[in-house]
Structure formats: C-alpha cells, structure tokens
Amino acid sequence: MNYELFVTLHIEIMLELHNVILKPLRQTVSLTVNDGQLACISAPKGTGKTTLLRAIMGFLPIDGGHISIDGELLTPLSAPYFRRQMAYVPSRLVPIPGQDKVSDVRKLLFDLAANRQIKQPEQENHRLWSDLTATEQYLELLESAASQQRRLVLIDEPEITLDWEATNEIVRILRKLTNDGSSVLIVSNMPSVINLTNNVITL
C-alpha cells in the first residue's frame, strides 16, 4: 500500500469555507482547516474578520458560497449542533452585571453541558473581572477556551497590543490546542502566530 496515499485519505477536514461571500469582506474566502491544524486570517481592522467568525458560528447568513463542518453544510438548522463542537474567544468580554467576578466568567465560558466542576482558587471567588488587565482578560479567555477541549476553536484578535510575554503565552496555548487535536482558526497579524500556521488567508 502507498503509505503517503493512506495518510492523505485519512486527513479529516474539520472546517471548509468555499467561495464564501459576506458583505463586509472585499473578496470571496476559501479555506480548509484539518483536524489538529492552525489557520490564520490576517487583515487590517475593519475588514470583516470578526463578521466572518460569526458567520462560521452560524449567527450570520452568508451571501454566497458555503461553509461546511465535518463535510456537512452549516445551515440555520444545523448551526446550534455545530456550535456545541466549538469554542470562541472574543476580542474582549464585558461581564453581565452581577456576574462580574473572575469565577463567574469562568463558569460562563466553560463547557456547562459537560457538567464539570472547576476547582477555583479561593482568592478568585472574590476577584472582579475588571481587576484584571486587558491582557490578563484576553489570556483568561484563551485558557478557558482551551479547557473546553472542543474540536473547533475560533479566536478573534485582542483589542489591545500584546507584549512579548503575552504573545509567547498565546503561542504556547495554540500549540497545546493543536497538539490535543483541536482545529484552530485565529484572527491575527502577529508574525509569531502566523509562522505557526498551516494556512494563512489575507483579506
């Protein structure tokens, strides 16, 4: 048996965008992300990157082309099912009033359907989300997404500029996600992140 052919046939495509048309985008988008791969969308702010992530989650309709997950079309009916396989990291998060402790945010972001309990450090039970710096908040969102062990992780770019240490931490988390088998699509213009990727789309 041709071993190379055998390996190729057993690569599973988790996410596929085929000639996707979305009004904020200036071009059609085609992209595949295989199981355990990292792909990147790189573009200036205001070009529709976040809108594209929302379309992949099924919250917004596309104007042309198609999006498929595991070979099945993403539709308004199938979107809720596929979202249960996803984790999403927004550019920032504003907690619901009354649920603004770090522990509240973790519970909100964690996979509640799995009915798992998170052991929180005692000091985190009273620490407010606003006590964290913008960088700490973003890294907390990333760590929470990684802890869910979802097959597909969508990551938006942060609203703030990250320092060298934070960028290295992001790289570490991305490597862990793909090593654990998650497919990851990240919005980023950071060279250290782009250099990790298997596929880069520039808008």
Side-chain angles (χ1 to χ4, degrees), residues 39-50:
C40 179
I41 301 172
S42 178
K45 290 186 180 295
T47 51
K49 303 184 296 296
T50 299

mmCIF file with all atom_site columns, all heavy atoms in Angstrom, residues 39-50:
data_model
loop_
_atom_site.group_PDB
_atom_site.id
_atom_site.type_symbol
_atom_site.label_atom_id
_atom_site.label_alt_id
_atom_site.label_comp_id
_atom_site.label_asym_id
_atom_site.label_entity_id
_atom_site.label_seq_id
_atom_site.pdbx_PDB_ins_code
_atom_site.Cartn_x
_atom_site.Cartn_y
_atom_site.Cartn_z
_atom_site.occupancy
_atom_site.B_iso_or_equiv
_atom_site.pdbx_formal_charge
_atom_site.auth_seq_id
_atom_site.auth_comp_id
_atom_site.auth_asym_id
_atom_site.auth_atom_id
_atom_site.pdbx_PDB_model_num
ATOM 1  N N   . ALA A 1 39 ? -5.065  27.606 11.419 1.00 0.00 ? 39 ALA A N   1
ATOM 2  C CA  . ALA A 1 39 ? -5.165  28.502 10.271 1.00 0.00 ? 39 ALA A CA  1
ATOM 3  C C   . ALA A 1 39 ? -5.346  29.922 10.789 1.00 0.00 ? 39 ALA A C   1
ATOM 4  O O   . ALA A 1 39 ? -5.795  30.143 11.910 1.00 0.00 ? 39 ALA A O   1
ATOM 5  C CB  . ALA A 1 39 ? -6.333  28.098 9.371  1.00 0.00 ? 39 ALA A CB  1
ATOM 6  N N   . CYS A 1 40 ? -4.995  30.885 9.949  1.00 0.00 ? 40 CYS A N   1
ATOM 7  C CA  . CYS A 1 40 ? -4.998  32.280 10.388 1.00 0.00 ? 40 CYS A CA  1
ATOM 8  C C   . CYS A 1 40 ? -5.660  33.171 9.342  1.00 0.00 ? 40 CYS A C   1
ATOM 9  O O   . CYS A 1 40 ? -5.472  32.982 8.137  1.00 0.00 ? 40 CYS A O   1
ATOM 10 C CB  . CYS A 1 40 ? -3.556  32.736 10.638 1.00 0.00 ? 40 CYS A CB  1
ATOM 11 S SG  . CYS A 1 40 ? -3.397  34.444 11.160 1.00 0.00 ? 40 CYS A SG  1
ATOM 12 N N   . ILE A 1 41 ? -6.431  34.135 9.828  1.00 0.00 ? 41 ILE A N   1
ATOM 13 C CA  . ILE A 1 41 ? -6.963  35.210 8.985  1.00 0.00 ? 41 ILE A CA  1
ATOM 14 C C   . ILE A 1 41 ? -6.212  36.471 9.361  1.00 0.00 ? 41 ILE A C   1
ATOM 15 O O   . ILE A 1 41 ? -6.239  36.900 10.520 1.00 0.00 ? 41 ILE A O   1
ATOM 16 C CB  . ILE A 1 41 ? -8.469  35.419 9.204  1.00 0.00 ? 41 ILE A CB  1
ATOM 17 C CG1 . ILE A 1 41 ? -9.238  34.140 8.898  1.00 0.00 ? 41 ILE A CG1 1
ATOM 18 C CG2 . ILE A 1 41 ? -8.976  36.570 8.348  1.00 0.00 ? 41 ILE A CG2 1
ATOM 19 C CD1 . ILE A 1 41 ? -10.703 34.209 9.273  1.00 0.00 ? 41 ILE A CD1 1
ATOM 20 N N   . SER A 1 42 ? -5.518  37.056 8.402  1.00 0.00 ? 42 SER A N   1
ATOM 21 C CA  . SER A 1 42 ? -4.712  38.246 8.651  1.00 0.00 ? 42 SER A CA  1
ATOM 22 C C   . SER A 1 42 ? -5.219  39.392 7.788  1.00 0.00 ? 42 SER A C   1
ATOM 23 O O   . SER A 1 42 ? -5.361  39.245 6.574  1.00 0.00 ? 42 SER A O   1
ATOM 24 C CB  . SER A 1 42 ? -3.237  37.951 8.342  1.00 0.00 ? 42 SER A CB  1
ATOM 25 O OG  . SER A 1 42 ? -2.446  39.098 8.531  1.00 0.00 ? 42 SER A OG  1
ATOM 26 N N   . ALA A 1 43 ? -5.515  40.520 8.431  1.00 0.00 ? 43 ALA A N   1
ATOM 27 C CA  . ALA A 1 43 ? -6.040  41.669 7.700  1.00 0.00 ? 43 ALA A CA  1
ATOM 28 C C   . ALA A 1 43 ? -6.093  42.874 8.620  1.00 0.00 ? 43 ALA A C   1
ATOM 29 O O   . ALA A 1 43 ? -6.080  42.735 9.850  1.00 0.00 ? 43 ALA A O   1
ATOM 30 C CB  . ALA A 1 43 ? -7.440  41.363 7.160  1.00 0.00 ? 43 ALA A CB  1
ATOM 31 N N   . PRO A 1 44 ? -6.169  44.077 8.056  1.00 0.00 ? 44 PRO A N   1
ATOM 32 C CA  . PRO A 1 44 ? -6.318  45.273 8.893  1.00 0.00 ? 44 PRO A CA  1
ATOM 33 C C   . PRO A 1 44 ? -7.664  45.263 9.614  1.00 0.00 ? 44 PRO A C   1
ATOM 34 O O   . PRO A 1 44 ? -8.579  44.518 9.253  1.00 0.00 ? 44 PRO A O   1
ATOM 35 C CB  . PRO A 1 44 ? -6.253  46.424 7.872  1.00 0.00 ? 44 PRO A CB  1
ATOM 36 C CG  . PRO A 1 44 ? -5.640  45.839 6.647  1.00 0.00 ? 44 PRO A CG  1
ATOM 37 C CD  . PRO A 1 44 ? -6.037  44.397 6.625  1.00 0.00 ? 44 PRO A CD  1
ATOM 38 N N   . LYS A 1 45 ? -7.776  46.088 10.630 1.00 0.00 ? 45 LYS A N   1
ATOM 39 C CA  . LYS A 1 45 ? -9.033  46.206 11.361 1.00 0.00 ? 45 LYS A CA  1
ATOM 40 C C   . LYS A 1 45 ? -10.118 46.761 10.440 1.00 0.00 ? 45 LYS A C   1
ATOM 41 O O   . LYS A 1 45 ? -9.854  47.534 9.528  1.00 0.00 ? 45 LYS A O   1
ATOM 42 C CB  . LYS A 1 45 ? -8.859  47.127 12.573 1.00 0.00 ? 45 LYS A CB  1
ATOM 43 C CG  . LYS A 1 45 ? -8.010  46.527 13.685 1.00 0.00 ? 45 LYS A CG  1
ATOM 44 C CD  . LYS A 1 45 ? -7.988  47.422 14.906 1.00 0.00 ? 45 LYS A CD  1
ATOM 45 C CE  . LYS A 1 45 ? -7.144  46.814 16.023 1.00 0.00 ? 45 LYS A CE  1
ATOM 46 N NZ  . LYS A 1 45 ? -7.717  45.551 16.535 1.00 0.00 ? 45 LYS A NZ  1
ATOM 47 N N   . GLY A 1 46 ? -11.358 46.328 10.703 1.00 0.00 ? 46 GLY A N   1
ATOM 48 C CA  . GLY A 1 46 ? -12.490 46.832 9.940  1.00 0.00 ? 46 GLY A CA  1
ATOM 49 C C   . GLY A 1 46 ? -12.711 46.178 8.598  1.00 0.00 ? 46 GLY A C   1
ATOM 50 O O   . GLY A 1 46 ? -13.464 46.687 7.763  1.00 0.00 ? 46 GLY A O   1
ATOM 51 N N   . THR A 1 47 ? -12.080 45.021 8.361  1.00 0.00 ? 47 THR A N   1
ATOM 52 C CA  . THR A 1 47 ? -12.227 44.357 7.067  1.00 0.00 ? 47 THR A CA  1
ATOM 53 C C   . THR A 1 47 ? -13.183 43.164 7.107  1.00 0.00 ? 47 THR A C   1
ATOM 54 O O   . THR A 1 47 ? -13.300 42.438 6.134  1.00 0.00 ? 47 THR A O   1
ATOM 55 C CB  . THR A 1 47 ? -10.853 43.888 6.543  1.00 0.00 ? 47 THR A CB  1
ATOM 56 O OG1 . THR A 1 47 ? -10.196 43.132 7.571  1.00 0.00 ? 47 THR A OG1 1
ATOM 57 C CG2 . THR A 1 47 ? -9.983  45.073 6.156  1.00 0.00 ? 47 THR A CG2 1
ATOM 58 N N   . GLY A 1 48 ? -13.842 42.953 8.252  1.00 0.00 ? 48 GLY A N   1
ATOM 59 C CA  . GLY A 1 48 ? -14.861 41.907 8.310  1.00 0.00 ? 48 GLY A CA  1
ATOM 60 C C   . GLY A 1 48 ? -14.417 40.596 8.912  1.00 0.00 ? 48 GLY A C   1
ATOM 61 O O   . GLY A 1 48 ? -15.119 39.588 8.802  1.00 0.00 ? 48 GLY A O   1
ATOM 62 N N   . LYS A 1 49 ? -13.271 40.578 9.592  1.00 0.00 ? 49 LYS A N   1
ATOM 63 C CA  . LYS A 1 49 ? -12.757 39.318 10.140 1.00 0.00 ? 49 LYS A CA  1
ATOM 64 C C   . LYS A 1 49 ? -13.676 38.766 11.230 1.00 0.00 ? 49 LYS A C   1
ATOM 65 O O   . LYS A 1 49 ? -13.994 37.571 11.246 1.00 0.00 ? 49 LYS A O   1
ATOM 66 C CB  . LYS A 1 49 ? -11.341 39.530 10.694 1.00 0.00 ? 49 LYS A CB  1
ATOM 67 C CG  . LYS A 1 49 ? -10.349 40.077 9.681  1.00 0.00 ? 49 LYS A CG  1
ATOM 68 C CD  . LYS A 1 49 ? -8.957  40.178 10.250 1.00 0.00 ? 49 LYS A CD  1
ATOM 69 C CE  . LYS A 1 49 ? -8.840  41.161 11.409 1.00 0.00 ? 49 LYS A CE  1
ATOM 70 N NZ  . LYS A 1 49 ? -9.132  42.555 11.008 1.00 0.00 ? 49 LYS A NZ  1
ATOM 71 N N   . THR A 1 50 ? -14.085 39.627 12.154 1.00 0.00 ? 50 THR A N   1
ATOM 72 C CA  . THR A 1 50 ? -14.984 39.185 13.222 1.00 0.00 ? 50 THR A CA  1
ATOM 73 C C   . THR A 1 50 ? -16.324 38.751 12.654 1.00 0.00 ? 50 THR A C   1
ATOM 74 O O   . THR A 1 50 ? -16.917 37.761 13.103 1.00 0.00 ? 50 THR A O   1
ATOM 75 C CB  . THR A 1 50 ? -15.193 40.314 14.256 1.00 0.00 ? 50 THR A CB  1
ATOM 76 O OG1 . THR A 1 50 ? -13.923 40.655 14.831 1.00 0.00 ? 50 THR A OG1 1
ATOM 77 C CG2 . THR A 1 50 ? -16.148 39.881 15.359 1.00 0.00 ? 50 THR A CG2 1
#
